[in-house]
Amino acid sequence: MTGSSKVDSFYPQGGLNAASYDLRADLDRKLFEDPIPFYRDIAVKSGGPVLELGCGTGRVAAAIHEAGIAIEGLDLSDAMLTQARTKYPDMVWHKGDMCDFDLGRRFALIIIPFRGFQEITDGEDQKRCLMTASDHLLPGGMLVLDLIDPDLRYCLPEGDPESVELPLFPMPEGVGAQDSRLRITAMERTSDPLTQRFEEHWRFDEIDPSGKVLRCEDCWHHMRWVHRSEMRLMLEISGFISVSEFSDFKGSPPRYAANQVWMAKRPD
């Protein structure tokens, strides 16, 4: 399936996108609510062990590991796992599809941070992910994840043709020419209301001090939005109980067009 959890097309190995992911994520944490303390505190409360699905470069798992909780990470992207293994060589990282994996063990907590669940672009695959996660939880174990609550004004067939240029970034360590900078632009976005899929076009330019483009990389990010009622139903169909939902990482009640933060329990 093109543009789903089965195909890692957004983070090419050796690309500017994967190399700069942590820089963009750090900016996101400064502009919006930082989810890492929330996931770290949930992990400490669980006592571990913890499994992170869609672990990326390992930033969330590393924070949990530093808090003294046993954690492993799973991701489909070789480019992202290369960074995780380089930065945190003493941790356990698995290459795998979060819809279909078997680690041969169970966990007290499974987390899917930073909207990673939405990178599964097929509804049936999303349900398979939840059922596979349930199979890897201990009795009474918890699944915790966050999503974007879709603002339906931006989910129309015409999408969003506007582009947004992020502040200039330093080039990631070991990447690019001396004194070059990284320019990242969120280009157009297209939407398919029938399947609830959307595609974001991102451009990554390495530029020298004069503004000349030394390297240009275009990537397309495929995701699927999930409505609150749909997410609750998928969790219940997948066998979860005590399903709780919030609009932020402080436990606020659900609110339209905010975050969806879900906590669900596997039966004892």
PDB file of all heavy atoms in Angstrom, residues 1-13 17-18 75-81 95-96 119 220-222:
ATOM      1  N   MET A   1       0.851  -1.188   0.000  1.00  0.00           N
ATOM      2  CA  MET A   1       0.000   0.000   0.000  1.00  0.00           C
ATOM      3  C   MET A   1       0.888   1.240   0.000  1.00  0.00           C
ATOM      4  O   MET A   1       1.778   1.388   0.821  1.00  0.00           O
ATOM      5  CB  MET A   1      -0.892   0.007   1.248  1.00  0.00           C
ATOM      6  CG  MET A   1      -1.775   1.236   1.357  1.00  0.00           C
ATOM      7  SD  MET A   1      -2.678   1.217   2.913  1.00  0.00           S
ATOM      8  CE  MET A   1      -3.579  -0.315   2.711  1.00  0.00           C
ATOM      9  N   THR A   2       0.647   2.156  -0.907  1.00  0.00           N
ATOM     10  CA  THR A   2       1.440   3.369  -0.996  1.00  0.00           C
ATOM     11  C   THR A   2       1.028   4.345   0.091  1.00  0.00           C
ATOM     12  O   THR A   2      -0.140   4.567   0.336  1.00  0.00           O
ATOM     13  CB  THR A   2       1.248   4.026  -2.372  1.00  0.00           C
ATOM     14  OG1 THR A   2       1.636   3.100  -3.379  1.00  0.00           O
ATOM     15  CG2 THR A   2       2.085   5.282  -2.492  1.00  0.00           C
ATOM     16  N   GLY A   3       2.030   4.951   0.721  1.00  0.00           N
ATOM     17  CA  GLY A   3       1.741   5.954   1.718  1.00  0.00           C
ATOM     18  C   GLY A   3       1.100   5.404   2.971  1.00  0.00           C
ATOM     19  O   GLY A   3       0.196   6.002   3.532  1.00  0.00           O
ATOM     20  N   SER A   4       1.524   4.272   3.437  1.00  0.00           N
ATOM     21  CA  SER A   4       0.964   3.686   4.654  1.00  0.00           C
ATOM     22  C   SER A   4       2.092   3.280   5.571  1.00  0.00           C
ATOM     23  O   SER A   4       3.262   3.497   5.299  1.00  0.00           O
ATOM     24  CB  SER A   4       0.105   2.464   4.318  1.00  0.00           C
ATOM     25  OG  SER A   4       0.924   1.354   4.049  1.00  0.00           O
ATOM     26  N   SER A   5       1.723   2.641   6.691  1.00  0.00           N
ATOM     27  CA  SER A   5       2.745   2.150   7.606  1.00  0.00           C
ATOM     28  C   SER A   5       3.587   1.058   6.978  1.00  0.00           C
ATOM     29  O   SER A   5       4.641   0.700   7.488  1.00  0.00           O
ATOM     30  CB  SER A   5       2.081   1.608   8.869  1.00  0.00           C
ATOM     31  OG  SER A   5       1.259   0.505   8.542  1.00  0.00           O
ATOM     32  N   LYS A   6       3.155   0.528   5.843  1.00  0.00           N
ATOM     33  CA  LYS A   6       3.896  -0.543   5.168  1.00  0.00           C
ATOM     34  C   LYS A   6       5.077  -0.002   4.361  1.00  0.00           C
ATOM     35  O   LYS A   6       5.977  -0.741   3.999  1.00  0.00           O
ATOM     36  CB  LYS A   6       2.975  -1.305   4.208  1.00  0.00           C
ATOM     37  CG  LYS A   6       1.751  -1.925   4.870  1.00  0.00           C
ATOM     38  CD  LYS A   6       2.135  -3.100   5.727  1.00  0.00           C
ATOM     39  CE  LYS A   6       0.906  -3.806   6.277  1.00  0.00           C
ATOM     40  NZ  LYS A   6       1.254  -4.891   7.180  1.00  0.00           N
ATOM     41  N   VAL A   7       5.031   1.287   4.028  1.00  0.00           N
ATOM     42  CA  VAL A   7       6.038   1.863   3.142  1.00  0.00           C
ATOM     43  C   VAL A   7       6.622   3.108   3.792  1.00  0.00           C
ATOM     44  O   VAL A   7       5.891   4.051   4.093  1.00  0.00           O
ATOM     45  CB  VAL A   7       5.421   2.233   1.769  1.00  0.00           C
ATOM     46  CG1 VAL A   7       6.487   2.820   0.856  1.00  0.00           C
ATOM     47  CG2 VAL A   7       4.774   1.014   1.131  1.00  0.00           C
ATOM     48  N   ASP A   8       7.915   3.116   4.021  1.00  0.00           N
ATOM     49  CA  ASP A   8       8.571   4.290   4.598  1.00  0.00           C
ATOM     50  C   ASP A   8       9.101   5.151   3.461  1.00  0.00           C
ATOM     51  O   ASP A   8      10.212   4.972   2.989  1.00  0.00           O
ATOM     52  CB  ASP A   8       9.717   3.868   5.524  1.00  0.00           C
ATOM     53  CG  ASP A   8      10.549   5.066   5.968  1.00  0.00           C
ATOM     54  OD1 ASP A   8       9.948   6.138   6.177  1.00  0.00           O
ATOM     55  OD2 ASP A   8      11.773   4.926   6.083  1.00  0.00           O
ATOM     56  N   SER A   9       8.275   6.090   2.999  1.00  0.00           N
ATOM     57  CA  SER A   9       8.686   6.947   1.894  1.00  0.00           C
ATOM     58  C   SER A   9       9.038   8.350   2.347  1.00  0.00           C
ATOM     59  O   SER A   9       9.589   9.133   1.563  1.00  0.00           O
ATOM     60  CB  SER A   9       7.556   7.029   0.851  1.00  0.00           C
ATOM     61  OG  SER A   9       6.370   7.536   1.447  1.00  0.00           O
ATOM     62  N   PHE A  10       8.738   8.688   3.613  1.00  0.00           N
ATOM     63  CA  PHE A  10       8.928  10.066   4.051  1.00  0.00           C
ATOM     64  C   PHE A  10      10.326  10.333   4.592  1.00  0.00           C
ATOM     65  O   PHE A  10      10.786  11.474   4.568  1.00  0.00           O
ATOM     66  CB  PHE A  10       7.881  10.411   5.116  1.00  0.00           C
ATOM     67  CG  PHE A  10       7.847  11.870   5.498  1.00  0.00           C
ATOM     68  CD1 PHE A  10       7.700  12.857   4.533  1.00  0.00           C
ATOM     69  CD2 PHE A  10       7.943  12.259   6.827  1.00  0.00           C
ATOM     70  CE1 PHE A  10       7.666  14.206   4.880  1.00  0.00           C
ATOM     71  CE2 PHE A  10       7.901  13.593   7.181  1.00  0.00           C
ATOM     72  CZ  PHE A  10       7.756  14.569   6.213  1.00  0.00           C
ATOM     73  N   TYR A  11      10.992   9.304   5.082  1.00  0.00           N
ATOM     74  CA  TYR A  11      12.311   9.489   5.683  1.00  0.00           C
ATOM     75  C   TYR A  11      13.360   8.685   4.914  1.00  0.00           C
ATOM     76  O   TYR A  11      13.800   7.630   5.375  1.00  0.00           O
ATOM     77  CB  TYR A  11      12.300   9.054   7.144  1.00  0.00           C
ATOM     78  CG  TYR A  11      11.331   9.822   8.015  1.00  0.00           C
ATOM     79  CD1 TYR A  11      10.171   9.223   8.482  1.00  0.00           C
ATOM     80  CD2 TYR A  11      11.586  11.140   8.363  1.00  0.00           C
ATOM     81  CE1 TYR A  11       9.279   9.921   9.284  1.00  0.00           C
ATOM     82  CE2 TYR A  11      10.697  11.845   9.160  1.00  0.00           C
ATOM     83  CZ  TYR A  11       9.559  11.235   9.617  1.00  0.00           C
ATOM     84  OH  TYR A  11       8.666  11.933  10.416  1.00  0.00           O
ATOM     85  N   PRO A  12      13.782   9.160   3.738  1.00  0.00           N
ATOM     86  CA  PRO A  12      14.785   8.407   2.979  1.00  0.00           C
ATOM     87  C   PRO A  12      16.118   8.352   3.709  1.00  0.00           C
ATOM     88  O   PRO A  12      16.522   9.309   4.370  1.00  0.00           O
ATOM     89  CB  PRO A  12      14.895   9.192   1.663  1.00  0.00           C
ATOM     90  CG  PRO A  12      14.439  10.569   2.004  1.00  0.00           C
ATOM     91  CD  PRO A  12      13.386  10.410   3.058  1.00  0.00           C
ATOM     92  N   GLN A  13      16.775   7.212   3.609  1.00  0.00           N
ATOM     93  CA  GLN A  13      18.080   7.025   4.238  1.00  0.00           C
ATOM     94  C   GLN A  13      19.068   8.034   3.657  1.00  0.00           C
ATOM     95  O   GLN A  13      19.174   8.203   2.451  1.00  0.00           O
ATOM     96  CB  GLN A  13      18.582   5.604   3.989  1.00  0.00           C
ATOM     97  CG  GLN A  13      19.830   5.215   4.748  1.00  0.00           C
ATOM     98  CD  GLN A  13      19.581   4.941   6.214  1.00  0.00           C
ATOM     99  OE1 GLN A  13      19.557   5.867   7.011  1.00  0.00           O
ATOM    100  NE2 GLN A  13      19.402   3.670   6.585  1.00  0.00           N
ATOM    101  N   ASN A  17      15.647  15.221   5.515  1.00  0.00           N
ATOM    102  CA  ASN A  17      14.454  15.111   6.346  1.00  0.00           C
ATOM    103  C   ASN A  17      14.742  14.329   7.619  1.00  0.00           C
ATOM    104  O   ASN A  17      14.545  14.819   8.733  1.00  0.00           O
ATOM    105  CB  ASN A  17      13.332  14.443   5.535  1.00  0.00           C
ATOM    106  CG  ASN A  17      12.023  14.370   6.306  1.00  0.00           C
ATOM    107  OD1 ASN A  17      11.903  14.880   7.408  1.00  0.00           O
ATOM    108  ND2 ASN A  17      11.041  13.731   5.716  1.00  0.00           N
ATOM    109  N   ALA A  18      15.220  13.106   7.470  1.00  0.00           N
ATOM    110  CA  ALA A  18      15.501  12.282   8.644  1.00  0.00           C
ATOM    111  C   ALA A  18      16.585  12.914   9.518  1.00  0.00           C
ATOM    112  O   ALA A  18      16.496  12.903  10.750  1.00  0.00           O
ATOM    113  CB  ALA A  18      15.918  10.883   8.210  1.00  0.00           C
ATOM    114  N   ASP A  75      10.205   0.710  15.076  1.00  0.00           N
ATOM    115  CA  ASP A  75       9.921   1.654  13.997  1.00  0.00           C
ATOM    116  C   ASP A  75      10.167   0.967  12.662  1.00  0.00           C
ATOM    117  O   ASP A  75      10.953   0.005  12.577  1.00  0.00           O
ATOM    118  CB  ASP A  75      10.811   2.902  14.118  1.00  0.00           C
ATOM    119  CG  ASP A  75      10.217   4.117  13.418  1.00  0.00           C
ATOM    120  OD1 ASP A  75      10.262   4.182  12.173  1.00  0.00           O
ATOM    121  OD2 ASP A  75       9.707   5.006  14.121  1.00  0.00           O
ATOM    122  N   LEU A  76       9.509   1.479  11.620  1.00  0.00           N
ATOM    123  CA  LEU A  76       9.655   0.925  10.282  1.00  0.00           C
ATOM    124  C   LEU A  76      10.830   1.530   9.521  1.00  0.00           C
ATOM    125  O   LEU A  76      11.380   0.917   8.610  1.00  0.00           O
ATOM    126  CB  LEU A  76       8.357   1.161   9.495  1.00  0.00           C
ATOM    127  CG  LEU A  76       8.260   0.586   8.096  1.00  0.00           C
ATOM    128  CD1 LEU A  76       8.222  -0.940   8.138  1.00  0.00           C
ATOM    129  CD2 LEU A  76       7.000   1.101   7.386  1.00  0.00           C
ATOM    130  N   SER A  77      11.226   2.738   9.914  1.00  0.00           N
ATOM    131  CA  SER A  77      12.200   3.509   9.140  1.00  0.00           C
ATOM    132  C   SER A  77      13.644   3.158   9.486  1.00  0.00           C
ATOM    133  O   SER A  77      14.087   3.356  10.626  1.00  0.00           O
ATOM    134  CB  SER A  77      11.972   5.009   9.371  1.00  0.00           C
ATOM    135  OG  SER A  77      13.028   5.775   8.846  1.00  0.00           O
ATOM    136  N   ASP A  78      14.389   2.690   8.502  1.00  0.00           N
ATOM    137  CA  ASP A  78      15.813   2.426   8.708  1.00  0.00           C
ATOM    138  C   ASP A  78      16.562   3.712   9.040  1.00  0.00           C
ATOM    139  O   ASP A  78      17.477   3.714   9.875  1.00  0.00           O
ATOM    140  CB  ASP A  78      16.409   1.789   7.453  1.00  0.00           C
ATOM    141  CG  ASP A  78      15.978   0.339   7.265  1.00  0.00           C
ATOM    142  OD1 ASP A  78      15.961  -0.410   8.259  1.00  0.00           O
ATOM    143  OD2 ASP A  78      15.647  -0.041   6.132  1.00  0.00           O
ATOM    144  N   ALA A  79      16.180   4.813   8.368  1.00  0.00           N
ATOM    145  CA  ALA A  79      16.871   6.077   8.593  1.00  0.00           C
ATOM    146  C   ALA A  79      16.705   6.566  10.023  1.00  0.00           C
ATOM    147  O   ALA A  79      17.651   7.048  10.654  1.00  0.00           O
ATOM    148  CB  ALA A  79      16.351   7.133   7.610  1.00  0.00           C
ATOM    149  N   MET A  80      15.504   6.436  10.558  1.00  0.00           N
ATOM    150  CA  MET A  80      15.259   6.877  11.926  1.00  0.00           C
ATOM    151  C   MET A  80      15.914   5.932  12.938  1.00  0.00           C
ATOM    152  O   MET A  80      16.492   6.371  13.943  1.00  0.00           O
ATOM    153  CB  MET A  80      13.755   6.973  12.174  1.00  0.00           C
ATOM    154  CG  MET A  80      13.045   7.936  11.230  1.00  0.00           C
ATOM    155  SD  MET A  80      13.530   9.653  11.484  1.00  0.00           S
ATOM    156  CE  MET A  80      12.182  10.208  12.515  1.00  0.00           C
ATOM    157  N   LEU A  81      15.836   4.635  12.684  1.00  0.00           N
ATOM    158  CA  LEU A  81      16.448   3.673  13.596  1.00  0.00           C
ATOM    159  C   LEU A  81      17.965   3.807  13.619  1.00  0.00           C
ATOM    160  O   LEU A  81      18.598   3.583  14.663  1.00  0.00           O
ATOM    161  CB  LEU A  81      16.046   2.252  13.205  1.00  0.00           C
ATOM    162  CG  LEU A  81      14.604   1.856  13.542  1.00  0.00           C
ATOM    163  CD1 LEU A  81      14.276   0.498  12.934  1.00  0.00           C
ATOM    164  CD2 LEU A  81      14.380   1.827  15.051  1.00  0.00           C
ATOM    165  N   LYS A  95      13.258  -3.174  14.280  1.00  0.00           N
ATOM    166  CA  LYS A  95      12.713  -2.787  12.968  1.00  0.00           C
ATOM    167  C   LYS A  95      11.408  -3.562  12.786  1.00  0.00           C
ATOM    168  O   LYS A  95      11.380  -4.792  12.882  1.00  0.00           O
ATOM    169  CB  LYS A  95      13.705  -3.149  11.852  1.00  0.00           C
ATOM    170  CG  LYS A  95      13.110  -3.111  10.418  1.00  0.00           C
ATOM    171  CD  LYS A  95      13.121  -1.720   9.861  1.00  0.00           C
ATOM    172  CE  LYS A  95      12.475  -1.694   8.459  1.00  0.00           C
ATOM    173  NZ  LYS A  95      13.385  -2.166   7.413  1.00  0.00           N
ATOM    174  N   GLY A  96      10.310  -2.833  12.525  1.00  0.00           N
ATOM    175  CA  GLY A  96       9.046  -3.540  12.357  1.00  0.00           C
ATOM    176  C   GLY A  96       7.897  -2.617  12.033  1.00  0.00           C
ATOM    177  O   GLY A  96       7.975  -1.389  12.193  1.00  0.00           O
ATOM    178  N   GLU A 119       0.158   7.820  11.004  1.00  0.00           N
ATOM    179  CA  GLU A 119       0.949   7.459   9.836  1.00  0.00           C
ATOM    180  C   GLU A 119       0.461   6.155   9.221  1.00  0.00           C
ATOM    181  O   GLU A 119       0.920   5.773   8.142  1.00  0.00           O
ATOM    182  CB  GLU A 119       2.430   7.370  10.212  1.00  0.00           C
ATOM    183  CG  GLU A 119       2.938   8.647  10.846  1.00  0.00           C
ATOM    184  CD  GLU A 119       4.349   9.008  10.425  1.00  0.00           C
ATOM    185  OE1 GLU A 119       4.874   8.397   9.483  1.00  0.00           O
ATOM    186  OE2 GLU A 119       4.909   9.917  11.053  1.00  0.00           O
ATOM    187  N   TRP A 220       7.035  13.536   0.749  1.00  0.00           N
ATOM    188  CA  TRP A 220       5.588  13.585   0.926  1.00  0.00           C
ATOM    189  C   TRP A 220       5.212  12.734   2.131  1.00  0.00           C
ATOM    190  O   TRP A 220       5.542  11.552   2.198  1.00  0.00           O
ATOM    191  CB  TRP A 220       4.883  13.092  -0.335  1.00  0.00           C
ATOM    192  CG  TRP A 220       4.894  14.118  -1.426  1.00  0.00           C
ATOM    193  CD1 TRP A 220       3.907  15.024  -1.721  1.00  0.00           C
ATOM    194  CD2 TRP A 220       5.964  14.383  -2.344  1.00  0.00           C
ATOM    195  NE1 TRP A 220       4.294  15.828  -2.768  1.00  0.00           N
ATOM    196  CE2 TRP A 220       5.550  15.467  -3.176  1.00  0.00           C
ATOM    197  CE3 TRP A 220       7.233  13.823  -2.553  1.00  0.00           C
ATOM    198  CZ2 TRP A 220       6.351  15.973  -4.190  1.00  0.00           C
ATOM    199  CZ3 TRP A 220       8.035  14.332  -3.549  1.00  0.00           C
ATOM    200  CH2 TRP A 220       7.590  15.393  -4.356  1.00  0.00           C
ATOM    201  N   HIS A 221       4.502  13.371   3.047  1.00  0.00           N
ATOM    202  CA  HIS A 221       4.105  12.727   4.292  1.00  0.00           C
ATOM    203  C   HIS A 221       2.650  12.301   4.186  1.00  0.00           C
ATOM    204  O   HIS A 221       1.760  13.139   4.008  1.00  0.00           O
ATOM    205  CB  HIS A 221       4.286  13.703   5.458  1.00  0.00           C
ATOM    206  CG  HIS A 221       4.319  13.054   6.791  1.00  0.00           C
ATOM    207  ND1 HIS A 221       4.261  13.759   7.970  1.00  0.00           N
ATOM    208  CD2 HIS A 221       4.421  11.749   7.162  1.00  0.00           C
ATOM    209  CE1 HIS A 221       4.327  12.942   8.989  1.00  0.00           C
ATOM    210  NE2 HIS A 221       4.414  11.712   8.528  1.00  0.00           N
ATOM    211  N   HIS A 222       2.389  11.003   4.288  1.00  0.00           N
ATOM    212  CA  HIS A 222       1.043  10.456   4.174  1.00  0.00           C
ATOM    213  C   HIS A 222       0.505  10.158   5.570  1.00  0.00           C
ATOM    214  O   HIS A 222       1.147   9.460   6.359  1.00  0.00           O
ATOM    215  CB  HIS A 222       1.053   9.161   3.352  1.00  0.00           C
ATOM    216  CG  HIS A 222       1.662   9.315   1.995  1.00  0.00           C
ATOM    217  ND1 HIS A 222       0.950   9.734   0.896  1.00  0.00           N
ATOM    218  CD2 HIS A 222       2.934   9.119   1.551  1.00  0.00           C
ATOM    219  CE1 HIS A 222       1.730   9.778  -0.162  1.00  0.00           C
ATOM    220  NE2 HIS A 222       2.951   9.407   0.215  1.00  0.00           N
TER     221      HIS A 222
END
